[in-house]
Amino acid sequence: MMHFADSLTFSGRKAVAAWAALPFPAFSGSSLPDTFSAHQQDVPWKLLSSWREQKVSCCFAQSVVLRGVCKEKATSCPGQPRSPLHSCESPEQVLQQYLHTQFPGAFSTSHVLQQPCDTRPPFPQFFSPLLTSRGFLLDKAQGSSSAGVESIPVLAALQSSPVLHSLLSGLCRDLRARNVRRCSSFFTAGVEQDDFQEALEELKTLSQCYETGFGADGSEDEADSD
C-alpha cells in the first residue's frame, strides 16, 4: 500500500485520502452512464477519514476502482438525454470519462471489475430496505427479504487532494494544543521533546504541500503563531 500511495504523490506530498461508495448508488436496471450522469455536481463517494465531511472539488492524482456494475446494460433510460458518457463503448471508458470531467488535469488511473463485494453472512446486514439482494437501489422499499443483501457494487478511491491540507493542518493544531509534558509515559517511551517538535514542523510542512492557492481550503488554514 505504501508503494501504491507513492505512485500517486509528488511535489513533497506523502499521503493520500481514502474514499468509498458502499454501496455504489446505482438503481436497479439503470446503466452506468445514467448513474454517473446523476452525479455531475458532486461525486458519489465519501471520505473515510474521521475528519468532518469535505466536498471533493479537485485532486492532484487518484486511483479509482469500481466493481460489481459492469453487467448492467449500457443503454440509457427512455427519455433521458444522452451525454458524452453514453457514447462510451465500455464501463472502463465511462469511468475514465467521468473522472476526466470531474477532475480535469488530474492524473487518474481506473479499473472496473465484474465481481461485486460479497455481503452474505457473516457480513452484518445493516443495509437499507431500499436495496435489492444484489445491492442496487430501489425507488421504494420492498418488504424485508430473508435472503438479505448478498452482494453490493462498490467504488473505492485513493486521492492526493487539497482535502488533506485541512486534515493534516487540523491534526497539527490538535497536537500543538495538548500539553504533552503532562504525559510522562509519552516521553518515557523514548520520544524526545525536540523530536516531537520536529515532527510537528514536518507535519505542518506536509500539510502546506496540499494547498491549492485559490481558496479551496482558506477557512481551514492554520493560524498558529508558534
Side-chain angles (χ1 to χ4, degrees), residues 59-111:
C59 76
F60 311 114
Q62 63 185 339
S63 179
V64 181
V65 177
L66 175 64
R67 56 185 297 180
V69 295
C70 51
K71 283 187 176 181
E72 297 301 292
K73 296 180 180 179
T75 57
S76 62
C77 295
Q80 181 169 347
R82 291 183 61 84
S83 70
L85 294 173
H86 292 90
S87 302
C88 298
E89 298 180 355
S90 67
E92 290 81 4
Q93 291 182 4
V94 172
L95 178 56
Q96 190 63 41
Q97 175 66 30
Y98 180 75
L99 295 176
H100 175 74
T101 302
Q102 295 294 319
F103 307 102
F107 169 74
S108 298
T109 64
S110 60
H111 302 278

mmCIF file of all heavy atoms in Angstrom, residues 59-111:
data_model
loop_
_atom_site.group_PDB
_atom_site.id
_atom_site.type_symbol
_atom_site.label_atom_id
_atom_site.label_comp_id
_atom_site.label_asym_id
_atom_site.label_seq_id
_atom_site.Cartn_x
_atom_site.Cartn_y
_atom_site.Cartn_z
ATOM 1 N N CYS A 59 -8.429 17.371 -7.397
ATOM 2 C CA CYS A 59 -7.399 16.484 -6.846
ATOM 3 C C CYS A 59 -6.184 16.542 -7.758
ATOM 4 O O CYS A 59 -6.266 16.991 -8.906
ATOM 5 C CB CYS A 59 -7.911 15.057 -6.671
ATOM 6 S SG CYS A 59 -8.044 14.095 -8.187
ATOM 7 N N PHE A 60 -5.048 16.101 -7.227
ATOM 8 C CA PHE A 60 -3.808 16.113 -7.992
ATOM 9 C C PHE A 60 -3.601 14.782 -8.713
ATOM 10 O O PHE A 60 -3.142 14.743 -9.850
ATOM 11 C CB PHE A 60 -2.620 16.386 -7.069
ATOM 12 C CG PHE A 60 -2.835 17.572 -6.163
ATOM 13 C CD1 PHE A 60 -2.927 17.407 -4.789
ATOM 14 C CD2 PHE A 60 -2.961 18.853 -6.684
ATOM 15 C CE1 PHE A 60 -3.129 18.496 -3.954
ATOM 16 C CE2 PHE A 60 -3.162 19.941 -5.858
ATOM 17 C CZ PHE A 60 -3.247 19.767 -4.483
ATOM 18 N N ALA A 61 -3.943 13.693 -8.044
ATOM 19 C CA ALA A 61 -3.796 12.355 -8.629
ATOM 20 C C ALA A 61 -4.747 11.419 -7.898
ATOM 21 O O ALA A 61 -5.075 11.641 -6.732
ATOM 22 C CB ALA A 61 -2.348 11.868 -8.515
ATOM 23 N N GLN A 62 -5.174 10.359 -8.584
ATOM 24 C CA GLN A 62 -6.126 9.438 -7.961
ATOM 25 C C GLN A 62 -6.087 8.077 -8.639
ATOM 26 O O GLN A 62 -5.696 7.953 -9.806
ATOM 27 C CB GLN A 62 -7.540 10.003 -8.037
ATOM 28 C CG GLN A 62 -8.065 10.191 -9.450
ATOM 29 C CD GLN A 62 -9.418 10.861 -9.501
ATOM 30 O OE1 GLN A 62 -10.166 10.863 -8.538
ATOM 31 N NE2 GLN A 62 -9.763 11.443 -10.650
ATOM 32 N N SER A 63 -6.508 7.080 -7.881
ATOM 33 C CA SER A 63 -6.709 5.738 -8.413
ATOM 34 C C SER A 63 -8.085 5.282 -7.951
ATOM 35 O O SER A 63 -8.389 5.303 -6.758
ATOM 36 C CB SER A 63 -5.628 4.781 -7.910
ATOM 37 O OG SER A 63 -5.862 3.470 -8.413
ATOM 38 N N VAL A 64 -8.929 4.890 -8.895
ATOM 39 C CA VAL A 64 -10.325 4.556 -8.610
ATOM 40 C C VAL A 64 -10.628 3.150 -9.112
ATOM 41 O O VAL A 64 -10.244 2.787 -10.233
ATOM 42 C CB VAL A 64 -11.283 5.568 -9.276
ATOM 43 C CG1 VAL A 64 -12.731 5.240 -8.953
ATOM 44 C CG2 VAL A 64 -10.941 6.990 -8.835
ATOM 45 N N VAL A 65 -11.320 2.366 -8.282
ATOM 46 C CA VAL A 65 -11.743 1.017 -8.654
ATOM 47 C C VAL A 65 -13.247 0.914 -8.461
ATOM 48 O O VAL A 65 -13.771 1.236 -7.390
ATOM 49 C CB VAL A 65 -11.032 -0.057 -7.806
ATOM 50 C CG1 VAL A 65 -11.563 -1.446 -8.163
ATOM 51 C CG2 VAL A 65 -9.525 -0.001 -8.032
ATOM 52 N N LEU A 66 -13.933 0.446 -9.494
ATOM 53 C CA LEU A 66 -15.379 0.220 -9.454
ATOM 54 C C LEU A 66 -15.619 -1.257 -9.721
ATOM 55 O O LEU A 66 -15.078 -1.817 -10.682
ATOM 56 C CB LEU A 66 -16.076 1.076 -10.511
ATOM 57 C CG LEU A 66 -17.584 0.873 -10.682
ATOM 58 C CD1 LEU A 66 -18.335 1.275 -9.414
ATOM 59 C CD2 LEU A 66 -18.091 1.667 -11.878
ATOM 60 N N ARG A 67 -16.428 -1.864 -8.881
ATOM 61 C CA ARG A 67 -16.690 -3.294 -9.069
ATOM 62 C C ARG A 67 -18.165 -3.610 -8.884
ATOM 63 O O ARG A 67 -18.863 -2.987 -8.084
ATOM 64 C CB ARG A 67 -15.856 -4.133 -8.097
ATOM 65 C CG ARG A 67 -16.038 -3.796 -6.641
ATOM 66 C CD ARG A 67 -15.101 -4.583 -5.747
ATOM 67 N NE ARG A 67 -15.338 -6.016 -5.814
ATOM 68 C CZ ARG A 67 -14.651 -6.932 -5.131
ATOM 69 N NH1 ARG A 67 -13.663 -6.537 -4.355
ATOM 70 N NH2 ARG A 67 -14.934 -8.202 -5.231
ATOM 71 N N GLY A 68 -18.626 -4.582 -9.675
ATOM 72 C CA GLY A 68 -19.972 -5.097 -9.472
ATOM 73 C C GLY A 68 -21.072 -4.442 -10.275
ATOM 74 O O GLY A 68 -22.243 -4.733 -10.039
ATOM 75 N N VAL A 69 -20.748 -3.585 -11.248
ATOM 76 C CA VAL A 69 -21.816 -2.933 -12.020
ATOM 77 C C VAL A 69 -21.660 -3.130 -13.527
ATOM 78 O O VAL A 69 -22.533 -2.726 -14.281
ATOM 79 C CB VAL A 69 -21.884 -1.421 -11.742
ATOM 80 C CG1 VAL A 69 -22.274 -1.150 -10.317
ATOM 81 C CG2 VAL A 69 -20.588 -0.749 -12.102
ATOM 82 N N CYS A 70 -20.588 -3.746 -13.977
ATOM 83 C CA CYS A 70 -20.344 -3.792 -15.420
ATOM 84 C C CYS A 70 -21.302 -4.717 -16.155
ATOM 85 O O CYS A 70 -21.370 -4.697 -17.381
ATOM 86 C CB CYS A 70 -18.898 -4.185 -15.715
ATOM 87 S SG CYS A 70 -18.351 -5.666 -14.874
ATOM 88 N N LYS A 71 -22.095 -5.523 -15.440
ATOM 89 C CA LYS A 71 -23.081 -6.356 -16.106
ATOM 90 C C LYS A 71 -24.346 -5.578 -16.456
ATOM 91 O O LYS A 71 -25.175 -6.048 -17.229
ATOM 92 C CB LYS A 71 -23.465 -7.552 -15.208
ATOM 93 C CG LYS A 71 -22.424 -8.659 -15.189
ATOM 94 C CD LYS A 71 -22.964 -9.857 -14.432
ATOM 95 C CE LYS A 71 -21.971 -11.023 -14.489
ATOM 96 N NZ LYS A 71 -22.494 -12.215 -13.764
ATOM 97 N N GLU A 72 -24.509 -4.405 -15.857
ATOM 98 C CA GLU A 72 -25.705 -3.613 -16.131
ATOM 99 C C GLU A 72 -25.694 -3.133 -17.584
ATOM 100 O O GLU A 72 -24.640 -2.940 -18.185
ATOM 101 C CB GLU A 72 -25.757 -2.401 -15.186
ATOM 102 C CG GLU A 72 -25.858 -2.800 -13.729
ATOM 103 C CD GLU A 72 -27.077 -3.643 -13.441
ATOM 104 O OE1 GLU A 72 -28.197 -3.123 -13.525
ATOM 105 O OE2 GLU A 72 -26.914 -4.830 -13.126
ATOM 106 N N LYS A 73 -26.867 -2.918 -18.128
ATOM 107 C CA LYS A 73 -26.990 -2.513 -19.524
ATOM 108 C C LYS A 73 -26.315 -1.161 -19.758
ATOM 109 O O LYS A 73 -26.341 -0.289 -18.911
ATOM 110 C CB LYS A 73 -28.463 -2.430 -19.918
ATOM 111 C CG LYS A 73 -29.180 -3.771 -19.852
ATOM 112 C CD LYS A 73 -30.639 -3.613 -20.249
ATOM 113 C CE LYS A 73 -31.364 -4.950 -20.184
ATOM 114 N NZ LYS A 73 -32.792 -4.814 -20.548
ATOM 115 N N ALA A 74 -25.751 -0.999 -20.938
ATOM 116 C CA ALA A 74 -25.027 0.234 -21.258
ATOM 117 C C ALA A 74 -25.927 1.295 -21.877
ATOM 118 O O ALA A 74 -25.490 2.390 -22.183
ATOM 119 C CB ALA A 74 -23.882 -0.063 -22.219
ATOM 120 N N THR A 75 -27.206 0.981 -22.104
ATOM 121 C CA THR A 75 -28.107 1.941 -22.711
ATOM 122 C C THR A 75 -28.741 2.819 -21.657
ATOM 123 O O THR A 75 -28.850 2.447 -20.491
ATOM 124 C CB THR A 75 -29.209 1.222 -23.504
ATOM 125 O OG1 THR A 75 -29.899 0.329 -22.615
ATOM 126 C CG2 THR A 75 -28.611 0.424 -24.650
ATOM 127 N N SER A 76 -29.185 4.005 -22.051
ATOM 128 C CA SER A 76 -29.796 4.932 -21.111
ATOM 129 C C SER A 76 -31.275 4.652 -20.962
ATOM 130 O O SER A 76 -31.889 3.962 -21.775
ATOM 131 C CB SER A 76 -29.591 6.373 -21.582
ATOM 132 O OG SER A 76 -30.218 6.554 -22.837
ATOM 133 N N CYS A 77 -31.866 5.198 -19.905
ATOM 134 C CA CYS A 77 -33.287 5.039 -19.668
ATOM 135 C C CYS A 77 -34.064 5.824 -20.729
ATOM 136 O O CYS A 77 -33.612 6.870 -21.188
ATOM 137 C CB CYS A 77 -33.656 5.554 -18.274
ATOM 138 S SG CYS A 77 -32.918 4.593 -16.958
ATOM 139 N N PRO A 78 -35.252 5.345 -21.138
ATOM 140 C CA PRO A 78 -36.047 6.045 -22.149
ATOM 141 C C PRO A 78 -36.345 7.481 -21.716
ATOM 142 O O PRO A 78 -36.697 7.731 -20.574
ATOM 143 C CB PRO A 78 -37.329 5.200 -22.216
ATOM 144 C CG PRO A 78 -36.922 3.851 -21.733
ATOM 145 C CD PRO A 78 -35.866 4.090 -20.695
ATOM 146 N N GLY A 79 -36.171 8.414 -22.642
ATOM 147 C CA GLY A 79 -36.482 9.806 -22.365
ATOM 148 C C GLY A 79 -35.361 10.582 -21.717
ATOM 149 O O GLY A 79 -35.458 11.802 -21.574
ATOM 150 N N GLN A 80 -34.295 9.900 -21.288
ATOM 151 C CA GLN A 80 -33.188 10.606 -20.637
ATOM 152 C C GLN A 80 -32.222 11.131 -21.696
ATOM 153 O O GLN A 80 -31.836 10.391 -22.607
ATOM 154 C CB GLN A 80 -32.440 9.674 -19.679
ATOM 155 C CG GLN A 80 -31.294 10.369 -18.948
ATOM 156 C CD GLN A 80 -30.750 9.510 -17.821
ATOM 157 O OE1 GLN A 80 -31.364 8.531 -17.445
ATOM 158 N NE2 GLN A 80 -29.610 9.883 -17.303
ATOM 159 N N PRO A 81 -31.860 12.401 -21.645
ATOM 160 C CA PRO A 81 -30.958 12.946 -22.659
ATOM 161 C C PRO A 81 -29.602 12.258 -22.620
ATOM 162 O O PRO A 81 -29.094 11.909 -21.556
ATOM 163 C CB PRO A 81 -30.840 14.425 -22.259
ATOM 164 C CG PRO A 81 -31.195 14.461 -20.808
ATOM 165 C CD PRO A 81 -32.221 13.387 -20.617
ATOM 166 N N ARG A 82 -29.042 12.068 -23.801
ATOM 167 C CA ARG A 82 -27.743 11.412 -23.888
ATOM 168 C C ARG A 82 -26.641 12.397 -23.505
ATOM 169 O O ARG A 82 -26.772 13.605 -23.659
ATOM 170 C CB ARG A 82 -27.510 10.876 -25.303
ATOM 171 C CG ARG A 82 -28.429 9.706 -25.646
ATOM 172 C CD ARG A 82 -28.116 9.174 -27.029
ATOM 173 N NE ARG A 82 -26.755 8.692 -27.118
ATOM 174 C CZ ARG A 82 -26.363 7.468 -26.735
ATOM 175 N NH1 ARG A 82 -27.234 6.644 -26.206
ATOM 176 N NH2 ARG A 82 -25.107 7.094 -26.872
ATOM 177 N N SER A 83 -25.572 11.868 -23.003
ATOM 178 C CA SER A 83 -24.423 12.666 -22.595
ATOM 179 C C SER A 83 -23.178 12.034 -23.188
ATOM 180 O O SER A 83 -23.239 10.929 -23.746
ATOM 181 C CB SER A 83 -24.334 12.691 -21.066
ATOM 182 O OG SER A 83 -23.963 11.404 -20.587
ATOM 183 N N PRO A 84 -22.011 12.699 -23.084
ATOM 184 C CA PRO A 84 -20.778 12.069 -23.573
ATOM 185 C C PRO A 84 -20.519 10.714 -22.925
ATOM 186 O O PRO A 84 -19.894 9.844 -23.537
ATOM 187 C CB PRO A 84 -19.706 13.094 -23.192
ATOM 188 C CG PRO A 84 -20.423 14.398 -23.187
ATOM 189 C CD PRO A 84 -21.800 14.098 -22.671
ATOM 190 N N LEU A 85 -21.012 10.527 -21.706
ATOM 191 C CA LEU A 85 -20.822 9.236 -21.040
ATOM 192 C C LEU A 85 -21.531 8.114 -21.787
ATOM 193 O O LEU A 85 -21.064 6.974 -21.809
ATOM 194 C CB LEU A 85 -21.340 9.301 -19.602
ATOM 195 C CG LEU A 85 -20.586 10.232 -18.652
ATOM 196 C CD1 LEU A 85 -21.314 10.319 -17.310
ATOM 197 C CD2 LEU A 85 -19.160 9.749 -18.435
ATOM 198 N N HIS A 86 -22.687 8.426 -22.397
ATOM 199 C CA HIS A 86 -23.449 7.400 -23.109
ATOM 200 C C HIS A 86 -22.806 7.024 -24.441
ATOM 201 O O HIS A 86 -23.212 6.044 -25.072
ATOM 202 C CB HIS A 86 -24.885 7.877 -23.337
ATOM 203 C CG HIS A 86 -25.690 7.986 -22.076
ATOM 204 N ND1 HIS A 86 -25.746 9.139 -21.332
ATOM 205 C CD2 HIS A 86 -26.458 7.086 -21.420
ATOM 206 C CE1 HIS A 86 -26.524 8.948 -20.281
ATOM 207 N NE2 HIS A 86 -26.967 7.714 -20.302
ATOM 208 N N SER A 87 -21.817 7.794 -24.871
ATOM 209 C CA SER A 87 -21.125 7.481 -26.118
ATOM 210 C C SER A 87 -19.950 6.534 -25.904
ATOM 211 O O SER A 87 -19.361 6.049 -26.875
ATOM 212 C CB SER A 87 -20.616 8.775 -26.778
ATOM 213 O OG SER A 87 -21.682 9.667 -27.037
ATOM 214 N N CYS A 88 -19.622 6.281 -24.644
ATOM 215 C CA CYS A 88 -18.508 5.382 -24.337
ATOM 216 C C CYS A 88 -18.893 3.938 -24.657
ATOM 217 O O CYS A 88 -20.044 3.542 -24.518
ATOM 218 C CB CYS A 88 -18.116 5.509 -22.868
ATOM 219 S SG CYS A 88 -17.525 7.149 -22.407
ATOM 220 N N GLU A 89 -17.910 3.160 -25.053
ATOM 221 C CA GLU A 89 -18.174 1.800 -25.513
ATOM 222 C C GLU A 89 -17.995 0.747 -24.434
ATOM 223 O O GLU A 89 -18.346 -0.416 -24.641
ATOM 224 C CB GLU A 89 -17.265 1.472 -26.700
ATOM 225 C CG GLU A 89 -17.504 2.366 -27.913
ATOM 226 C CD GLU A 89 -16.600 2.028 -29.066
ATOM 227 O OE1 GLU A 89 -15.711 1.150 -28.884
ATOM 228 O OE2 GLU A 89 -16.761 2.617 -30.154
ATOM 229 N N SER A 90 -17.469 1.110 -23.289
ATOM 230 C CA SER A 90 -17.227 0.119 -22.240
ATOM 231 C C SER A 90 -17.335 0.782 -20.877
ATOM 232 O O SER A 90 -17.212 2.012 -20.758
ATOM 233 C CB SER A 90 -15.836 -0.507 -22.400
ATOM 234 O OG SER A 90 -14.822 0.469 -22.161
ATOM 235 N N PRO A 91 -17.578 -0.001 -19.811
ATOM 236 C CA PRO A 91 -17.604 0.568 -18.460
ATOM 237 C C PRO A 91 -16.302 1.261 -18.099
ATOM 238 O O PRO A 91 -16.314 2.283 -17.404
ATOM 239 C CB PRO A 91 -17.858 -0.661 -17.577
ATOM 240 C CG PRO A 91 -18.541 -1.643 -18.461
ATOM 241 C CD PRO A 91 -17.932 -1.446 -19.814
ATOM 242 N N GLU A 92 -15.173 0.723 -18.565
ATOM 243 C CA GLU A 92 -13.883 1.351 -18.281
ATOM 244 C C GLU A 92 -13.818 2.761 -18.869
ATOM 245 O O GLU A 92 -13.341 3.693 -18.223
ATOM 246 C CB GLU A 92 -12.745 0.495 -18.847
ATOM 247 C CG GLU A 92 -12.514 -0.826 -18.133
ATOM 248 C CD GLU A 92 -13.470 -1.920 -18.573
ATOM 249 O OE1 GLU A 92 -14.284 -1.670 -19.502
ATOM 250 O OE2 GLU A 92 -13.425 -3.017 -17.997
ATOM 251 N N GLN A 93 -14.326 2.911 -20.097
ATOM 252 C CA GLN A 93 -14.321 4.225 -20.725
ATOM 253 C C GLN A 93 -15.279 5.186 -20.031
ATOM 254 O O GLN A 93 -14.997 6.382 -19.921
ATOM 255 C CB GLN A 93 -14.683 4.096 -22.202
ATOM 256 C CG GLN A 93 -13.622 3.418 -23.045
ATOM 257 C CD GLN A 93 -14.012 3.346 -24.511
ATOM 258 O OE1 GLN A 93 -15.055 3.872 -24.917
ATOM 259 N NE2 GLN A 93 -13.188 2.690 -25.313
ATOM 260 N N VAL A 94 -16.417 4.665 -19.554
ATOM 261 C CA VAL A 94 -17.376 5.507 -18.837
ATOM 262 C C VAL A 94 -16.736 6.080 -17.574
ATOM 263 O O VAL A 94 -16.817 7.280 -17.299
ATOM 264 C CB VAL A 94 -18.644 4.715 -18.467
ATOM 265 C CG1 VAL A 94 -19.556 5.551 -17.559
ATOM 266 C CG2 VAL A 94 -19.404 4.298 -19.711
ATOM 267 N N LEU A 95 -16.087 5.216 -16.799
ATOM 268 C CA LEU A 95 -15.447 5.657 -15.561
ATOM 269 C C LEU A 95 -14.338 6.655 -15.849
ATOM 270 O O LEU A 95 -14.219 7.693 -15.177
ATOM 271 C CB LEU A 95 -14.902 4.451 -14.791
ATOM 272 C CG LEU A 95 -14.149 4.749 -13.495
ATOM 273 C CD1 LEU A 95 -15.009 5.553 -12.532
ATOM 274 C CD2 LEU A 95 -13.671 3.454 -12.839
ATOM 275 N N GLN A 96 -13.512 6.369 -16.857
ATOM 276 C CA GLN A 96 -12.405 7.269 -17.178
ATOM 277 C C GLN A 96 -12.924 8.621 -17.651
ATOM 278 O O GLN A 96 -12.381 9.673 -17.281
ATOM 279 C CB GLN A 96 -11.519 6.635 -18.253
ATOM 280 C CG GLN A 96 -10.205 7.364 -18.493
ATOM 281 C CD GLN A 96 -9.296 7.369 -17.266
ATOM 282 O OE1 GLN A 96 -9.198 6.359 -16.575
ATOM 283 N NE2 GLN A 96 -8.637 8.478 -17.006
ATOM 284 N N GLN A 97 -13.984 8.624 -18.453
ATOM 285 C CA GLN A 97 -14.569 9.871 -18.941
ATOM 286 C C GLN A 97 -15.141 10.683 -17.787
ATOM 287 O O GLN A 97 -14.992 11.910 -17.723
ATOM 288 C CB GLN A 97 -15.663 9.575 -19.966
ATOM 289 C CG GLN A 97 -16.437 10.797 -20.461
ATOM 290 C CD GLN A 97 -15.587 11.763 -21.255
ATOM 291 O OE1 GLN A 97 -14.631 11.347 -21.917
ATOM 292 N NE2 GLN A 97 -15.910 13.040 -21.211
ATOM 293 N N TYR A 98 -15.787 10.007 -16.841
ATOM 294 C CA TYR A 98 -16.357 10.695 -15.682
ATOM 295 C C TYR A 98 -15.254 11.344 -14.843
ATOM 296 O O TYR A 98 -15.370 12.496 -14.421
ATOM 297 C CB TYR A 98 -17.154 9.718 -14.839
ATOM 298 C CG TYR A 98 -17.774 10.336 -13.608
ATOM 299 C CD1 TYR A 98 -18.903 11.150 -13.706
ATOM 300 C CD2 TYR A 98 -17.232 10.108 -12.348
ATOM 301 C CE1 TYR A 98 -19.475 11.732 -12.580
ATOM 302 C CE2 TYR A 98 -17.800 10.678 -11.215
ATOM 303 C CZ TYR A 98 -18.921 11.485 -11.333
ATOM 304 O OH TYR A 98 -19.468 12.068 -10.211
ATOM 305 N N LEU A 99 -14.177 10.609 -14.592
ATOM 306 C CA LEU A 99 -13.065 11.150 -13.810
ATOM 307 C C LEU A 99 -12.416 12.332 -14.525
ATOM 308 O O LEU A 99 -12.050 13.329 -13.885
ATOM 309 C CB LEU A 99 -12.025 10.058 -13.555
ATOM 310 C CG LEU A 99 -12.478 8.876 -12.689
ATOM 311 C CD1 LEU A 99 -11.373 7.834 -12.608
ATOM 312 C CD2 LEU A 99 -12.882 9.335 -11.301
ATOM 313 N N HIS A 100 -12.294 12.229 -15.838
ATOM 314 C CA HIS A 100 -11.699 13.328 -16.608
ATOM 315 C C HIS A 100 -12.572 14.579 -16.534
ATOM 316 O O HIS A 100 -12.058 15.710 -16.455
ATOM 317 C CB HIS A 100 -11.521 12.902 -18.063
ATOM 318 C CG HIS A 100 -11.017 13.999 -18.961
ATOM 319 N ND1 HIS A 100 -9.706 14.443 -18.941
ATOM 320 C CD2 HIS A 100 -11.646 14.758 -19.902
ATOM 321 C CE1 HIS A 100 -9.551 15.423 -19.818
ATOM 322 N NE2 HIS A 100 -10.713 15.634 -20.410
ATOM 323 N N THR A 101 -13.896 14.386 -16.523
ATOM 324 C CA THR A 101 -14.809 15.526 -16.460
ATOM 325 C C THR A 101 -14.812 16.177 -15.077
ATOM 326 O O THR A 101 -14.814 17.402 -14.949
ATOM 327 C CB THR A 101 -16.246 15.082 -16.806
ATOM 328 O OG1 THR A 101 -16.257 14.496 -18.119
ATOM 329 C CG2 THR A 101 -17.216 16.251 -16.765
ATOM 330 N N GLN A 102 -14.818 15.350 -14.026
ATOM 331 C CA GLN A 102 -14.872 15.867 -12.665
ATOM 332 C C GLN A 102 -13.544 16.440 -12.200
ATOM 333 O O GLN A 102 -13.514 17.390 -11.409
ATOM 334 C CB GLN A 102 -15.305 14.746 -11.707
ATOM 335 C CG GLN A 102 -16.712 14.235 -11.920
ATOM 336 C CD GLN A 102 -17.750 15.285 -11.606
ATOM 337 O OE1 GLN A 102 -17.630 16.021 -10.632
ATOM 338 N NE2 GLN A 102 -18.776 15.388 -12.436
ATOM 339 N N PHE A 103 -12.441 15.865 -12.659
ATOM 340 C CA PHE A 103 -11.104 16.290 -12.202
ATOM 341 C C PHE A 103 -10.193 16.532 -13.410
ATOM 342 O O PHE A 103 -9.232 15.796 -13.627
ATOM 343 C CB PHE A 103 -10.490 15.234 -11.287
ATOM 344 C CG PHE A 103 -11.372 14.836 -10.141
ATOM 345 C CD1 PHE A 103 -12.088 13.646 -10.185
ATOM 346 C CD2 PHE A 103 -11.505 15.645 -9.025
ATOM 347 C CE1 PHE A 103 -12.902 13.270 -9.129
ATOM 348 C CE2 PHE A 103 -12.322 15.281 -7.970
ATOM 349 C CZ PHE A 103 -13.028 14.101 -8.029
ATOM 350 N N PRO A 104 -10.493 17.555 -14.214
ATOM 351 C CA PRO A 104 -9.662 17.818 -15.390
ATOM 352 C C PRO A 104 -8.227 18.153 -14.999
ATOM 353 O O PRO A 104 -7.986 18.900 -14.067
ATOM 354 C CB PRO A 104 -10.360 19.025 -16.047
ATOM 355 C CG PRO A 104 -11.139 19.666 -14.937
ATOM 356 C CD PRO A 104 -11.569 18.552 -14.039
ATOM 357 N N GLY A 105 -7.302 17.549 -15.699
ATOM 358 C CA GLY A 105 -5.892 17.806 -15.435
ATOM 359 C C GLY A 105 -5.268 16.906 -14.395
ATOM 360 O O GLY A 105 -4.045 16.894 -14.248
ATOM 361 N N ALA A 106 -6.080 16.153 -13.660
ATOM 362 C CA ALA A 106 -5.540 15.261 -12.628
ATOM 363 C C ALA A 106 -5.024 13.971 -13.267
ATOM 364 O O ALA A 106 -5.572 13.500 -14.268
ATOM 365 C CB ALA A 106 -6.606 14.933 -11.597
ATOM 366 N N PHE A 107 -3.983 13.411 -12.667
ATOM 367 C CA PHE A 107 -3.504 12.096 -13.086
ATOM 368 C C PHE A 107 -4.456 11.050 -12.520
ATOM 369 O O PHE A 107 -4.633 10.963 -11.305
ATOM 370 C CB PHE A 107 -2.078 11.870 -12.579
ATOM 371 C CG PHE A 107 -1.598 10.454 -12.736
ATOM 372 C CD1 PHE A 107 -1.244 9.975 -13.993
ATOM 373 C CD2 PHE A 107 -1.514 9.598 -11.648
ATOM 374 C CE1 PHE A 107 -0.804 8.657 -14.143
ATOM 375 C CE2 PHE A 107 -1.079 8.298 -11.792
ATOM 376 C CZ PHE A 107 -0.723 7.823 -13.041
ATOM 377 N N SER A 108 -5.096 10.262 -13.379
ATOM 378 C CA SER A 108 -6.101 9.301 -12.923
ATOM 379 C C SER A 108 -5.834 7.919 -13.501
ATOM 380 O O SER A 108 -5.559 7.777 -14.696
ATOM 381 C CB SER A 108 -7.513 9.737 -13.337
ATOM 382 O OG SER A 108 -7.877 10.966 -12.757
ATOM 383 N N THR A 109 -5.924 6.923 -12.656
ATOM 384 C CA THR A 109 -5.954 5.539 -13.104
ATOM 385 C C THR A 109 -7.269 4.945 -12.633
ATOM 386 O O THR A 109 -7.773 5.296 -11.559
ATOM 387 C CB THR A 109 -4.783 4.712 -12.543
ATOM 388 O OG1 THR A 109 -4.893 4.644 -11.111
ATOM 389 C CG2 THR A 109 -3.453 5.345 -12.910
ATOM 390 N N SER A 110 -7.846 4.066 -13.415
ATOM 391 C CA SER A 110 -9.138 3.493 -13.047
ATOM 392 C C SER A 110 -9.222 2.042 -13.502
ATOM 393 O O SER A 110 -8.610 1.649 -14.503
ATOM 394 C CB SER A 110 -10.280 4.308 -13.668
ATOM 395 O OG SER A 110 -10.182 4.322 -15.078
ATOM 396 N N HIS A 111 -10.000 1.272 -12.759
ATOM 397 C CA HIS A 111 -10.206 -0.142 -13.074
ATOM 398 C C HIS A 111 -11.665 -0.483 -12.804
ATOM 399 O O HIS A 111 -12.252 0.004 -11.830
ATOM 400 C CB HIS A 111 -9.298 -1.040 -12.233
ATOM 401 C CG HIS A 111 -7.833 -0.761 -12.392
ATOM 402 N ND1 HIS A 111 -7.080 -1.258 -13.434
ATOM 403 C CD2 HIS A 111 -6.985 0.010 -11.653
ATOM 404 C CE1 HIS A 111 -5.835 -0.824 -13.323
ATOM 405 N NE2 HIS A 111 -5.751 -0.058 -12.252
#
